[in-house]
Amino acid sequence: MKAFRKLTSRVAPLDRANVDTDQIIPKQFLKRIERTGYGEFLFFDWRRIQDGPNAGAEDSSFVLNQPRYKGVEILVAGKNFGSGSSREHAAWALSDYGFRSVIAPSFADIFYSNAGKNGILLITLPENQVQTLMERATSLPDYRLHISLEDQTVTDDQGFSAKFTIDPFRRDCLLQGLDDIGLSLRHAEALDRFEKQHDAAFWLAPRPAGTAANRGASSRA
Amino acid sequence: MSSAKTLFEKVWESHVVAAPAGEPALLYIDLQLIHEVTSPQAFDGLRMSGRTVRRPDRSVATIDHNVPTTANRLVIEDPIAARQIETLRANCAEFGIPLYDVQSPDQGIVHVIGPELGITKPGMTIVCGDSHTSTHGALGALAVGIGTSEVEHVLATQCLQQSRPKTFRILVEGVLPPAVTAKDIALGIIGRIGTDGATGHVIEYAGSAIRALSMEGRMTLCNMSIEAGARAGMIAPDEVTFAYLKGKKFAPSGAAWDEAVAAWRSLAGDAGAQFDRELVLRAEELAPFVTWGTNPAMVVPVTARVPDPASSRSEAERRSWERALEYMALEPGKPIEELAIDRVFIGSCTNSRIEDLRAAAHVVQGYHVHPHVRAMVVPGSQRVKAQAEQEGLDQIFRSAGFDWREPGCSMCLGMNPDILSPGERCASTSNRNFEGRQGRGGRTHLVSPEMAAAAAVSGHFTDVRKWEFKPESNLVGSKN
Ligand code: SF4
């Protein structure tokens, strides 16, 4: 995983609440079996004109289509960002497009976890502070934010300064770009012990012992 | 602190492998359910890091999201979808994971087949790379939806890193009015607390109206927990649960059955156990609901009108209502019952089980689908389909003009060819009315199966509480 320490970037304001993962990446792009290449599909429908003679053409009113927001790495959005489907493709699309941080008043749980595993820093700030950033990113040309994960701060050059909180474990993982599976395997011995005991609880087994795993199913091994 | 524990706490605590200070707990996972869409990158990750699947016997796969629901579905025309399905087959073969493939008599939507095969059991921890995994909580399991990196993590370690969620008890007391269903309880709750009302929490549903629900109804309710932002929804196992599980393909039998029931019985929350939050609803106050907007919290009773953004509670809400009304092509003040529809979809992991189909057929029997409406029924699994056909439900639907399809996710998310055309308005028994969810530009209204069936016949939304059931109808009634 990519490590995250500090970031200075221009900022794109997405002034909508409850942005769901179906909008971040629509279902037609979930059929791919790759982990990369989703950036061009980010906000696919919102980036395009939906009806009328120009349907399908780029919608120049959508924030990410405006030249001033090309190449931004920070997105500011309304509350409950990333709600809905568990598709990690949403995090892959944001990351592939170039976003390294999203700032919002709140995030949906599964998206929060998916973003962290892809090196995207999600920052939760109170609604009024997010509103300030939204307004500045909209009205000030070339508006930039500085994010420091080490200091847990978001600042700009116009006097905005906010501290954010983040779970210390998540912060560590991001700072060091740690591999989750590797981390969990530190507990391999405890896991072996636990599992041996736990397997005795047959009422928690998917199939009773002795049932052919493949009865009715195939695994073409 | 009292030692009385909630259902959630009992399940959680019996699965903690390690709880390092300052870190999320490492939770043992009894079952991972796998489907074609969110797994290919996880298997790739395993191969890239030289890891393998720790417990193929605690994994089960099926193909549901992508498959066409037409009779000739073995030939998949979309090459990208076909490749994704082939990839799942190859991965299951390589790692020895049982797969309920398209031709299997046990194939179906992952959240339908888990319970119906008796794979899902009370007290289990269950994950799946799909947010509606919360469905399995209806049997008293702790079931959470996860992303693909976590799918890989569970494949490799059979564990999940989870920070401990908070607990939220929702009590629904009293008796549901006739034709008011589990779906309406779910929509009523989400309308009340919002799509982020339960973020960070596991909901436990309790109260007399919940106890009175069938297993199918409980699954519908737990399924929708994620639409309130919850990590999971749960219902304590009871006699209804045990009666449902008994005799299922992978349920224990003989002496093991009794031992299992005794273990499951002890899962119910202790008297006096504390929850972080609580909400009480009266069942009598619920009505058949219809969503009008672009998330499931934008919902009103069928007898209400499309709301006016002027009456919203905040500036942000007003803007999101206006945007939703524009997308849905609705005017404030219009009675919901006057909204004409083009399509009806009865299906999805929310409402595609046998009782859902019985309830819808009960409404449809003796009627015909409105000439302006195209309607389809997509059973949740091969077993549901076979059962429905045995009961003659398919005949009722077909002779009324419904399409009767093969099992899969279908128009719940339109990854297969079943989609709305731009501008089409659909009464749907699924769980998400997000923009474009059922097809770009499509307008989704979420309802119960009974309400969807009534809308199909009427051509517009109609209050199913006033439905005139045809006298020849002698089917088993609605699920409550
Ligand atoms: S039916 Fe819909 S919500 Fe359920 S698993 Fe399939 S796509 Fe997801």
Side-chain angles (χ1 to χ4, degrees):
Chain A
M1 190 180 85
K2 264 186 303 195
F4 189 113
R5 303 186 90 80
K6 279 184 180 357
L7 173 66
T8 291
S9 161
R10 284 176 296 120
V11 183
L14 182 63
D15 195 4
R16 295 181 191 180
N18 301 309
V19 173
D20 59 77
T21 53
D22 273 75
Q23 307 316 318
I24 299 174
I25 182 135
K27 72 279 190 125
Q28 62 268 37
F29 307 112
L30 310 189
K31 297 174 196 164
R32 300 175 68 248
I33 57 173
E34 293 79 14
R35 207 183 247 270
T36 53
Y38 292 92
E40 56 180 307
F41 310 127
L42 179 72
F43 295 118
F44 189 84
D45 289 340
W46 286 355
R47 275 156 79 180
R48 282 161 185 77
I49 295 173
Q50 293 301 308
D51 326 292
N54 294 326
E58 195 176 279
D59 181 350
S60 59
S61 70
F62 183 63
V63 54
L64 296 186
N65 289 338
Q66 298 169 18
R68 56 180 290 206
Y69 298 120
K70 288 281 178 253
V72 294
E73 294 175 274
I74 301 174
L75 185 69
V76 179
K79 69 160 192 153
N80 198 25
F81 186 88
S83 55
S85 154
S86 62
R87 57 190 73 171
E88 194 163 318
H89 311 67
W92 298 335
L94 284 162
S95 158
D96 203 58
Y97 187 85
F99 283 112
R100 301 199 54 217
S101 178
V102 185
I103 303 176
S106 62
F107 296 93
D109 281 341
I110 305 177
F111 176 75
Y112 195 86
S113 161
N114 287 341
K117 300 205 184 317
N118 289 278
I120 303 173
L121 173 62
L122 301 186
I123 299 179
T124 310
L125 289 180
E127 199 125 20
N128 59 339
Q129 292 185 346
V130 171
Q131 207 45 47
T132 304
L133 300 185
M134 196 81 80
E135 281 158 18
R136 291 185 185 180
T138 309
S139 60
L140 305 178
D142 209 33
Y143 178 70
R144 274 160 210 272
L145 278 175
H146 314 283
I147 296 172
S148 164
L149 179 55
E150 278 158 332
D151 303 334
Q152 296 177 223
T153 53
V154 180
T155 51
D156 69 8
D157 302 327
Q158 284 75 20
F160 179 91
S161 172
K163 271 289 236 192
F164 61 90
T165 55
I166 179 169
D167 171 75
F169 175 72
R170 204 178 287 260
R171 176 171 172 270
D172 259 23
C173 289
L174 276 165
L175 282 174
Q176 300 175 48
L178 294 177
D179 164 38
D180 275 344
I181 299 180
L183 279 174
S184 292
L185 290 175
R186 290 175 302 166
H187 304 290
E189 270 179 36
L191 172 56
D192 289 344
R193 266 196 316 273
F194 179 94
E195 192 170 50
K196 227 170 141 196
Q197 267 193 357
H198 190 77
D199 277 344
F202 66 84
W203 54 90
L204 301 178
R207 289 169 290 266
T211 323
N214 295 341
R215 191 153 59 106
S218 67
S219 77
R220 308 198 310 179
Chain B
M1 212 173 98
S2 96
S3 60
K5 290 191 166 72
T6 65
L7 163 65
F8 161 78
E9 286 165 340
K10 291 181 186 183
V11 178
W12 175 273
E13 285 166 16
S14 60
H15 286 82
V16 174
V17 172
E23 294 184 20
L26 202 59
L27 205 63
Y28 194 76
I29 300 303
D30 290 313
L31 168 66
Q32 170 150 242
L33 297 160
I34 295 166
H35 63 88
E36 72 274 25
V37 176
T38 55
S39 64
Q41 297 85 354
F43 286 109
D44 268 354
L46 282 186
R47 276 186 289 264
M48 267 158 35
S49 51
R51 291 175 175 132
T52 189
V53 176
R54 184 179 176 96
R55 294 294 297 264
D57 62 320
R58 290 194 180 272
S59 313
V60 171
T62 191
I63 296 173
D64 55 1
H65 281 63
N66 252 345
V67 281
T69 56
T70 43
N72 58 345
R73 64 192 189 147
L74 293 184
V75 187
I76 296 174
E77 279 173 17
D78 177 346
I80 309 178
R83 185 172 65 138
Q84 193 170 55
I85 289 174
E86 263 320 309
T87 303
L88 180 64
R89 288 180 180 139
N91 282 329
C92 288
E94 179 179 343
F95 293 104
I97 294 173
L99 167 68
Y100 295 101
D101 205 335
V102 183
Q103 311 94 306
S104 163
D106 292 334
Q107 178 265 343
I109 304 174
V110 65
H111 308 311
V112 175
I113 69 169
E116 97 184 344
L117 294 174
I119 294 171
T120 301
K121 297 181 179 74
M124 270 185 158
T125 47
I126 301 177
V127 297
C128 175
D130 187 283
S131 57
H132 292 97
T133 308
S134 57
T135 310
H136 306 265
L139 288 91
L142 173 61
V144 295
I146 57 176
T148 299
S149 295
E150 290 171 320
V151 171
E152 181 183 339
H153 188 284
V154 178
L155 287 172
T157 65
Q158 206 56 40
C159 293
L160 181 69
Q161 293 178 359
Q162 268 293 282
S163 56
R164 189 181 173 119
K166 297 199 175 93
T167 56
F168 185 176
R169 178 161 65 169
I170 300 184
L171 286 159
V172 188
E173 300 288 2
V175 179
L176 281 179
V180 177
T181 69
K183 182 67 162 284
D184 301 303
I185 301 180
L187 290 172
I189 290 170
I190 299 162
R192 175 107 167 236
I193 68 175
T195 54
D196 57 356
T199 303
H201 291 75
V202 167
I203 299 175
E204 180 175 341
Y205 300 96
S208 51
I210 305 297
R211 296 258 77 89
L213 288 176
S214 66
M215 264 337 285
E216 279 88 346
R218 294 176 186 189
M219 287 188 235
T220 300
L221 179 58
C222 286
N223 172 279
M224 296 286 287
S225 304
I226 180 69
E227 306 309 330
R231 286 227 210 134
M234 301 176 86
I235 295 174
D238 61 9
E239 298 312 318
V240 176
T241 321
F242 308 142
Y244 173 88
L245 270 175
K246 190 159 188 164
K248 292 272 186 283
K249 185 166 179 173
F250 293 115
S253 54
W257 169 259
D258 297 330
E259 203 180 324
V261 169
W264 294 334
R265 220 185 272 287
S266 68
L267 291 166
D270 302 326
Q274 298 294 308
F275 293 82
D276 296 304
R277 277 173 72 192
E278 201 155 271
L279 174 72
V280 185
L281 296 179
R282 289 299 314 176
E284 292 79 7
E285 288 166 12
L286 295 168
F289 284 105
V290 180
T291 63
W292 56 267
T294 51
N295 72 49
M298 295 173 168
V299 67
V300 290
V302 60
T303 47
R305 290 165 186 271
V306 174
D308 189 340
S311 66
S312 60
R313 287 161 296 190
S314 70
E315 172 62 17
E317 188 174 77
R318 185 182 60 77
R319 274 181 294 140
S320 77
W321 283 19
E322 278 170 359
R323 194 181 150 77
L325 290 179
E326 188 192 326
Y327 180 87
M328 296 295 289
L330 294 175
E331 290 142 38
K334 184 152 173 136
I336 295 288
E337 288 192 85
E338 285 176 21
L339 298 182
I341 54 161
D342 308 297
R343 304 281 295 267
V344 169
F345 171 62
I346 297 178
S348 89
C349 59
T350 311
N351 280 127
S352 64
R353 297 180 181 81
I354 190 67
E355 286 198 5
D356 299 315
L357 304 193
R358 284 180 191 143
H362 185 48
V363 170
V364 165
Q365 176 152 4
Y367 286 100
H368 202 275
V369 170
H370 190 276
H372 296 156
V373 174
R374 271 170 66 203
M376 65 197 283
V377 182
V378 183
S381 69
Q382 298 288 359
R383 283 178 174 241
V384 169
K385 178 167 182 270
Q387 170 86 32
E389 288 175 355
Q390 204 188 337
E391 294 178 18
L393 305 184
D394 61 319
Q395 283 313 319
I396 297 174
F397 286 120
R398 279 183 212 268
S399 58
F402 278 85
D403 249 6
W404 177 253
R405 295 296 189 101
E406 295 293 318
C409 293
S410 179
M411 215 161 68
C412 174
L413 91 166
M415 270 188 81
N416 73 351
D418 309 339
I419 53 169
L420 296 179
S421 302
E424 278 189 319
R425 192 176 295 289
C426 178
S428 176
T429 66
S430 57
N431 41 57
R432 287 193 175 132
N433 50 344
F434 297 156
E435 287 182 28
R437 170 84 178 179
Q438 296 191 293
R440 190 178 62 78
R443 296 168 182 144
T444 303
H445 296 268
L446 304 177
V447 289
S448 69
E450 290 86 333
M451 285 286 292
V457 169
S458 314
H460 54 84
F461 291 108
T462 185
D463 187 349
V464 72
R465 289 172 298 190
K466 297 188 213 128
W467 194 252
E468 237 177 80
F469 291 93
K470 285 290 166 83
E472 67 266 39
S473 133
N474 56 359
L475 289 155
V476 188
S478 80
K479 62 180 147 194
N480 305 301

